[in-house]
Amino acid sequence: MSLPVSEAARPADASLSLQFDDADADLLARAFRTPGDGPRAWALNGEAHRISLIDGFDRLLAWPTLRGVVRYPHQERTCLRVLREMRGRAILADEVGLGKTIEAGLLLKEYTIRGLVRRALILTPASLTGQWREEMESKFELPFAVLRSVGDWERRPLLVASIDTAKRDPHRVWAQRTSWDLVIVDEAHRLKNRLSVNWRFVAGLSKKYMLLLTATPVQNDMDELFNLVSLLKPGALHTYDRFVERYVGSADGRVPAHVPELRDRLRDVMVRNRRGIAFTLPPRRVHSLPVRLSPRERRLYDDVTEFVRDAYWSVSGRMSWAARLTLIVLQREIGSSTFAVAETLNRLTQSPLFGAAERERLEALRDDARAIPSNVKVDHLAGFLRSSDEKALVFTQYLRTMHYLKGVLEGDGHRVVIYHGGLPPAAKDAAVRSFRGEGQIFLSTEAGGEGRNLQFARTVVNYDLPWNPLRIEQRIGRVHRLGQTREVHVVNLWAQDTVEAYLMELLDRKIHMFELVVGELDLILGTLDERRSFEDMMMEIWTLRQAEERRAALRRLGDALVRARDQYDAMRERNDEVLRDVSDEVPA
Amino acid sequence: MSDAEALRRFVLDTLADVGATVSEADPLSWIQVPERVRSDLEVPSTFAITFDPDRVGDFEAELVAPGSYFLERIVALAASRGRWDVARFDAADAEWIQQSLSEGGLGSETGVHLETVELGETVLLLFSFRVTLVSDEKRERFHLIAVSPTTGSAWEVDSAKADSGLTALPQARIEPDLQAAYRLGAEKLRETTREAVGAFRAASLGLLEEEVRRIFGYFDRTIEEIQAADPDGSQDLLRAVRGERDRRLAETVERFDPKASASLCAIRAIQVPIARVHLRLPQGRGIDATLDAWSRRVDGLACDVCHGIDGPWIPYAGAVRCVRCPPTPAESARPRGRPRSDTPRRGTRDGRGSARSPRGSTARSRAASGRRRAP
């Protein structure tokens, strides 16, 4: 039996009176016993209080002073709307690339400044925990920790956790026992099924405010939208039966009905900014620079590959995780430069992972690598850079390749700025400033400029290609993002008959990855029904012994990627159909 | 002054006040702080700050901006200092007495006669309070409440005028009865904020009620739908739905539960000249009041209608009422056997050129009435 509404809603006392702070008594006891700090201190005391007064959400306090964040009006409007109208419970459903993370971080910051959020939990896919922690720290000065052990639930008031870890015992118990001021769920379309452990876990969290981030609230059918909204505000779309009766127009649940009315209801819980009306990202131009390796480089590449294949399919057949990883690194390094691979080969000659015969082969490979004085690929890079006056970001995965490139490019007369994860923060800041000023080439490893505004440049050179396509996308995202006004050039250097050539085949020719907006690739790969990482898939194809087998496996993966891209395109259309104009705002 | 300038001024003044040396080299400010405040600010002896977010990191400069950790520490430092202070207000001459009476509605122009004046001095206490209202949002106000321990009255002070005309007396030794004065100040603060607190509570409970209604509506109808679809269905499912409803309700109640709190920020004692006056009302009754030169308040009176102690005042029928109370029947009643008013009517020959003054005319009428009925 339900309680009467008024009974549940109203606290027992009929009025609210001021509660005076117990600490007042201390001040009364101490005051005037000794001389005060003087009239200026008295005035500053008042000023300290006045300056820190909070008056609701009359304005965004942190917005004007965020570090390394280009501020866009649609983000400010979104935040004010979530704070004032949605009262901190919203689905942030901006299209990909419009800065949902910034909006969520800003909302969190505004709440923390006001003292309304002290305990916050960010739930993300495992691969994004580090990125969220870093962004919250660098852009919002919010000291989040990534969940490592059960003790963190008590110790860390600001926590980033992989949803897959958090939903499992013993973590689940701790997470649901805690009273959270704010819960943020990234990639919230993973909560589409209310019978799933994910959905029930998030529903079971005790929270004051909640933000669900997803660019695609509707992935397959309308049920998903209902489930997402019910998590946030049960009843906002009626009960399930009523929702189906009113807003679902087909038996398979894919066709919406009474769409304008549905959008009206969604406006109470959802903000969706769209690209393309007031704001359009400039186009990208992709330049593919295939390289023919020199005979010595070719031979080394083939020999290293043969070693990797032999070791990968060794008689024992059951490789340790460490050995497997080592082989992947080796194969990736040889795709970058002979300088990158030489040192690893040297290190492996001492490694217990390999037997005596293998170590002997490694020694020979090391000697071959060290004997190669220069790489052909760098000539292509230098040729390209000579042809343009533009500032360019040149990315490589490896420090040794980076140092090699630095020497060559400086010798060629370029002003080169280096940037990598090992630099102290001040040196990183100085590097970005130098590139903004006199620097011509920003030579960077993967850590390159994460979270930095480098949109004043518009050329990205991939000197080598990471096997994880999301890393390639992140590189491009350093310049092709909100704030870029000019056409962006992406230059890919890759050697023929290498893993990188396979990558180009899949990513460029099959799914046209270089034309996607940053963020879309993740959604495409997310629809691949595949448990293995992209890197693992590439390695497994590459290590097949027969060229015929390799081609067939590559074709199968290519077809799966094409299907995933088609699925993504269809999903985007479905979301547009249901959610277009769901925000009252002028589209971004 | 813009918000940004005010913030900058506050930070640099606070640093200077704690003995720091500030050298400005835009966009950075180099600060050298004495040992005793280093731990409060968590800084080395010399460091740089900047108010420009794009310059953070130059020479490891700390950002000072809303929400920044450094500003938080500076605010905490400033709020921990200057918590009591002694000041003095001096009046140049005795004019303030007549002026205070006029401002309080009891000037000679109202027919009130100042009979005796006894000059003296007292200590007023000025309490600053921070009032915080919280539910799922936060609203804060800063209030200054003055208390006169002599008369036992308390009133709100406009922040803009609080410092006017005061001179510092940092070495003065006084020991006022703070407990009693604080109680008066706290009661006054309650009274001052009652309306805002009530409105905040009503708004929060309105939102709570709306949420609770929606949650009940959703879960109860969901239960009905489950039962209609399968009357012999699992009781476990229904229990789970009810469990989720109760959890959501608890979460909602906590979210919108309004709270109102106040904390004392600082206290200032103000030595001020006072005048104890004896006034004769137009109808002949005598009243005593206390005036102080700083607030110019006429203290020690009570409204004949609402018993409030805050002026300005209107003398009527041998008593005073505050301007907020409506005229009493006695005050409005026309004197029997007399003309409606002895004020010349506008538009008549006698009334030509006379200023329209309803208050003046009422006062005269009341005075006439009062005289007639006086024994």
Side-chain angles (χ1 to χ4, degrees):
Chain A
M1 195 182 76
S2 306
L3 288 168
V5 169
S6 54
E7 203 175 303
R10 297 207 183 280
D13 64 324
S15 68
L16 180 65
S17 68
L18 281 182
Q19 297 301 311
F20 284 83
D21 196 334
D22 291 343
D24 291 0
D26 298 339
L27 176 56
L28 295 173
R30 282 189 299 125
F32 303 108
R33 296 279 161 94
T34 55
D37 299 313
R40 184 154 76 157
W42 153 273
L44 287 166
N45 178 295
E47 197 55 23
H49 286 285
R50 271 185 220 102
I51 237 164
S52 57
L53 289 179
I54 301 296
D55 190 13
F57 301 109
D58 56 333
R59 65 197 162 122
L60 298 180
L61 299 172
W63 183 237
T65 52
L66 292 185
R67 288 172 64 182
V69 176
V70 180
R71 295 174 277 275
Y72 295 98
H74 74 271
Q75 294 172 330
E76 183 180 14
R77 283 196 304 268
T78 295
C79 291
L80 284 171
R81 202 167 151 221
V82 171
L83 293 169
R84 291 173 183 168
E85 296 167 34
M86 301 181 181
R87 306 191 79 88
R89 290 199 163 211
I91 300 172
L92 301 180
D94 287 1
E95 282 187 337
V96 169
L98 291 178
K100 286 186 288 294
T101 313
I102 297 293
E103 289 166 0
L106 180 59
L107 285 162
L108 173 53
K109 183 76 180 178
E110 295 292 335
Y111 279 124
T112 52
I113 288 178
R114 289 165 171 81
L116 292 167
V117 167
R118 289 192 173 84
R119 292 193 74 93
L121 172 65
I122 299 175
L123 294 168
T124 76
S127 58
L128 297 179
T129 52
Q131 193 178 320
W132 267 92
R133 195 209 64 77
E134 153 72 18
E135 288 212 35
M136 292 300 107
E137 171 82 46
S138 64
K139 292 178 178 155
F140 301 100
E141 290 190 334
L142 293 168
F144 271 85
V146 174
L147 174 71
R148 299 279 176 227
S149 68
V150 168
D152 288 340
W153 293 106
E154 269 194 312
R155 275 197 302 268
R156 307 288 195 166
L158 301 176
L159 203 53
V160 184
S162 142
I163 190 165
D164 289 328
T165 305
K167 72 187 179 192
R168 282 199 295 266
D169 286 340
H171 294 291
R172 180 190 62 80
V173 177
W174 282 95
Q176 294 186 334
R177 183 188 291 172
T178 308
S179 188
W180 300 101
D181 296 316
L182 172 63
V183 172
I184 295 174
V185 186
D186 191 17
E187 308 287 350
H189 45 265
R190 290 163 195 240
L191 306 175
K192 61 190 176 186
N193 179 357
R194 67 183 295 126
L195 299 175
S196 68
V197 180
N198 277 359
W199 194 95
R200 281 181 289 153
F201 167 66
V202 174
L205 293 171
S206 161
K207 65 265 169 195
K208 186 157 60 166
Y209 311 109
M210 181 156 74
L211 302 172
L212 302 178
L213 279 56
T214 172
T216 52
V218 186
Q219 294 221 304
N220 295 303
D221 57 46
M222 297 292 290
D223 274 13
E224 296 162 358
L225 186 62
F226 176 82
N227 292 339
L228 215 52
V229 172
S230 302
L231 199 55
L232 202 69
K233 206 170 173 181
L237 296 180
H238 300 300
T239 58
Y240 179 70
D241 287 0
R242 176 87 178 113
F243 171 79
V244 171
E245 185 186 308
R246 185 77 189 153
Y247 300 120
V248 181
S250 69
D252 67 359
R254 286 173 172 256
V255 179
H258 298 102
V259 173
E261 185 187 310
L262 175 62
R263 284 185 196 141
D264 267 350
R265 287 186 168 267
L266 287 172
R267 276 188 194 110
D268 287 344
V269 287
M270 184 184 288
V271 183
R272 182 169 173 86
N273 293 299
R274 290 182 298 136
R275 293 190 304 269
I277 297 182
F279 166 74
T280 311
L281 270 178
R284 288 181 192 171
R285 280 190 62 191
V286 182
H287 308 268
S288 192
L289 295 184
V291 173
R292 182 179 293 278
L293 297 175
S294 71
R296 290 173 77 183
E297 288 175 88
R298 180 79 258 169
R299 197 167 46 249
L300 179 67
Y301 191 95
D302 292 343
D303 290 348
V304 168
T305 299
E306 199 182 327
F307 175 84
V308 168
R309 282 182 186 146
D310 288 347
Y312 204 80
W313 301 111
S314 62
V315 231
S316 71
R318 298 189 65 81
M319 290 187 65
S320 71
W321 176 81
R324 201 182 170 92
L325 196 67
T326 304
L327 294 174
I328 293 178
V329 168
L330 209 56
Q331 190 68 57
R332 279 183 0 198
E333 283 181 335
I334 186 68
S336 177
S337 74
T338 55
F339 300 89
V341 82
E343 280 313 300
T344 305
L345 287 167
N346 184 46
R347 198 163 30 83
L348 293 182
T349 57
Q350 313 296 321
S351 169
L353 290 171
F354 301 104
E358 286 167 320
R359 286 207 291 268
E360 205 171 302
R361 278 177 77 183
L362 286 164
E363 278 173 21
L365 290 170
R366 175 200 61 196
D367 295 343
D368 289 348
R370 284 178 172 172
I372 297 174
S374 69
N375 291 176
V376 169
K377 204 159 57 165
V378 84
D379 299 335
H380 287 73
L381 171 67
F384 170 77
L385 293 174
R386 273 196 295 271
S387 70
S388 163
D389 291 337
E390 296 269 351
K391 287 178 187 287
L393 279 76
V394 178
F395 282 101
T396 172
Q397 299 171 82
Y398 299 103
L399 273 175
R400 285 189 289 270
T401 304
M402 182 171 145
H403 291 306
Y404 166 59
L405 294 180
K406 181 173 184 282
V408 173
L409 297 177
E410 282 180 344
D412 225 17
H414 294 288
R415 287 184 296 277
V416 180
V417 172
I418 62 164
Y419 189 105
H420 57 84
L423 293 177
K428 285 182 178 169
D429 291 337
V432 172
R433 267 202 310 282
S434 167
F435 182 50
R436 190 190 288 273
E438 290 296 298
Q440 291 173 310
I441 292 166
F442 189 80
L443 186 52
S444 170
T445 59
E446 291 309 316
E450 187 63 56
R452 305 274 177 179
N453 293 314
L454 299 170
Q455 295 98 316
F456 53 86
R458 60 164 179 158
T459 303
V460 172
V461 180
N462 290 311
Y463 183 77
D464 47 34
L465 287 168
W467 293 6
N468 179 351
L470 294 176
R471 288 194 177 277
I472 304 176
E473 193 187 45
Q474 278 165 10
R475 289 174 168 185
I476 300 169
R478 301 278 71 83
V479 298
H480 197 235
R481 61 198 300 189
L482 282 177
Q484 181 57 267
T485 53
R486 300 176 298 162
E487 186 179 53
V488 165
H489 295 269
V490 180
V491 181
N492 298 315
L493 287 148
W494 50 279
Q496 292 163 342
D497 300 320
T498 59
V499 187
E500 288 72 25
Y502 276 32
L503 268 171
M504 288 300 289
E505 167 74 22
L506 290 172
L507 302 178
D508 192 13
R509 274 173 233 131
K510 288 283 183 187
I511 58 167
H512 311 290
M513 173 197 141
F514 296 99
E515 292 163 16
L516 296 170
V517 170
V518 173
E520 286 186 306
L521 183 66
D522 197 17
L523 296 171
I524 293 173
L525 297 180
T527 60
L528 267 182
D529 189 17
E530 186 55 67
R531 283 176 173 274
R532 291 166 302 168
S533 73
F534 203 84
E535 284 157 300
D536 282 346
M537 288 190 280
M538 288 307 297
M539 189 64 177
E540 279 174 23
I541 292 173
W542 182 249
T543 48
L544 291 171
R545 289 199 176 279
Q546 302 301 319
E548 207 37 53
E549 281 180 311
R550 286 200 295 274
R551 273 196 294 275
L554 191 67
R555 210 168 29 247
R556 281 195 298 278
L557 179 56
D559 291 345
L561 282 170
V562 169
R563 280 196 301 277
R565 163 108 207 209
D566 291 346
Q567 237 178 305
Y568 169 71
D569 288 339
M571 189 167 71
R572 240 181 69 176
E573 277 169 29
R574 254 197 310 283
N575 278 279
D576 269 355
E577 185 187 355
V578 181
L579 307 176
R580 193 176 48 237
D581 306 329
V582 90
S583 279
D584 294 320
E585 315 289 348
V586 179
Chain B
M1 204 181 335
S2 71
D3 283 358
E5 283 163 17
L7 179 72
R8 187 189 183 92
R9 203 62 277 148
F10 162 73
V11 171
L12 298 180
D13 284 354
T14 301
L15 287 166
D17 195 50
V18 295
T21 316
V22 179
S23 344
E24 301 227 33
D26 205 37
L28 304 183
S29 301
W30 284 96
I31 317 292
Q32 209 171 356
V33 286
E35 187 63 35
R36 65 179 191 283
V37 287
R38 275 179 57 187
S39 62
D40 291 334
L41 291 176
E42 297 172 35
V43 289
S45 57
T46 304
F47 62 99
I49 58 171
T50 180
F51 297 86
D52 178 353
D54 291 332
R55 306 319 294 252
V56 173
D58 291 10
F59 300 97
E60 298 184 358
E62 284 222 44
L63 177 67
V64 187
S68 72
Y69 188 49
F70 187 78
L71 181 59
E72 216 173 274
R73 281 172 286 161
I74 282 278
V75 164
L77 178 65
S80 69
R81 294 169 43 78
R83 302 203 70 187
W84 61 87
D85 181 49
V86 184
R88 175 172 182 80
F89 183 85
D90 286 309
D93 51 39
E95 282 294 297
W96 64 270
I97 297 173
Q98 275 302 342
Q99 283 167 4
S100 301
L101 288 169
S102 289
E103 286 165 19
L106 301 173
S108 54
E109 68 279 7
T110 61
V112 176
H113 179 59
L114 172 59
E115 289 192 338
T116 63
V117 178
E118 182 193 337
L119 292 174
E121 199 158 85
T122 194
V123 173
L124 300 177
L125 290 165
L126 186 61
F127 294 95
S128 63
F129 287 102
R130 184 179 185 129
V131 172
T132 305
L133 308 176
V134 183
S135 61
D136 73 330
E137 62 171 342
K138 185 189 251 185
R139 296 196 175 273
E140 290 184 308
R141 289 281 182 275
F142 188 71
H143 292 267
L144 286 172
I145 304 287
V147 175
S148 167
T150 317
T151 61
S153 58
W155 62 97
E156 176 144 39
V157 174
D158 181 352
S159 298
K161 295 177 188 163
D163 271 343
S164 131
L166 296 180
T167 50
L169 283 182
Q171 298 309 318
R173 298 286 301 190
I174 59 158
E175 286 189 20
D177 177 4
L178 287 177
Q179 297 290 349
Y182 171 78
R183 277 194 294 276
L184 286 168
E187 198 42 53
K188 183 67 193 176
L189 184 67
R190 257 189 239 282
E191 185 190 316
T192 308
T193 55
R194 187 163 291 132
E195 200 175 318
V197 170
F200 185 78
R201 175 181 182 271
S204 298
L205 293 186
L207 289 165
L208 172 61
E209 194 159 322
E210 190 184 313
E211 282 288 299
V212 168
R213 202 179 292 280
R214 196 173 39 68
I215 290 170
F216 270 123
Y218 171 76
F219 284 101
D220 288 353
R221 274 195 292 277
T222 297
I223 289 168
E224 283 165 21
E225 284 170 8
I226 292 170
Q227 285 170 329
D230 182 7
D232 302 321
S234 154
Q235 286 302 306
D236 287 348
L237 175 61
L238 295 180
R239 261 195 297 277
V241 174
R242 287 191 191 105
E244 193 184 334
R245 177 197 64 194
D246 294 346
R247 206 186 43 69
R248 299 262 185 163
L249 282 172
E251 189 178 285
T252 303
V253 169
E254 191 167 332
R255 186 172 158 213
F256 291 108
D257 180 22
K259 295 180 187 72
S261 60
S263 60
L264 178 59
C265 306
I267 314 164
R268 174 174 253 178
I270 305 170
Q271 289 185 353
V272 60
I274 55 166
R276 291 191 184 85
V277 295
H278 186 75
L279 303 170
R280 179 71 55 193
L281 296 177
Q283 292 79 6
R285 189 183 137 201
I287 53 172
D288 292 320
T290 304
L291 318 175
D292 78 76
W294 177 68
S295 73
R296 304 286 179 94
R297 239 173 95 86
V298 181
D299 224 353
L301 304 183
C303 173
D304 208 35
V305 180
C306 70
H307 309 294
I309 57 168
D310 295 321
W313 307 98
I314 293 174
Y316 81 101
V320 289
R321 68 171 168 84
C322 64
V323 290
R324 291 170 295 282
C325 286
T328 60
E331 193 179 352
S332 314
R334 270 183 283 135
R336 230 173 293 157
R338 301 280 297 187
R340 285 170 73 94
S341 166
D342 51 7
T343 306
R345 293 174 64 191
R346 278 159 63 89
T348 64
R349 196 172 181 176
D350 291 343
R352 208 173 296 142
S354 67
R356 188 176 189 188
S357 172
R359 188 173 155 189
S361 69
T362 311
R364 269 190 293 277
S365 171
R366 263 185 245 134
S369 165
R371 270 196 304 275
R372 211 173 59 82
R373 281 192 278 137

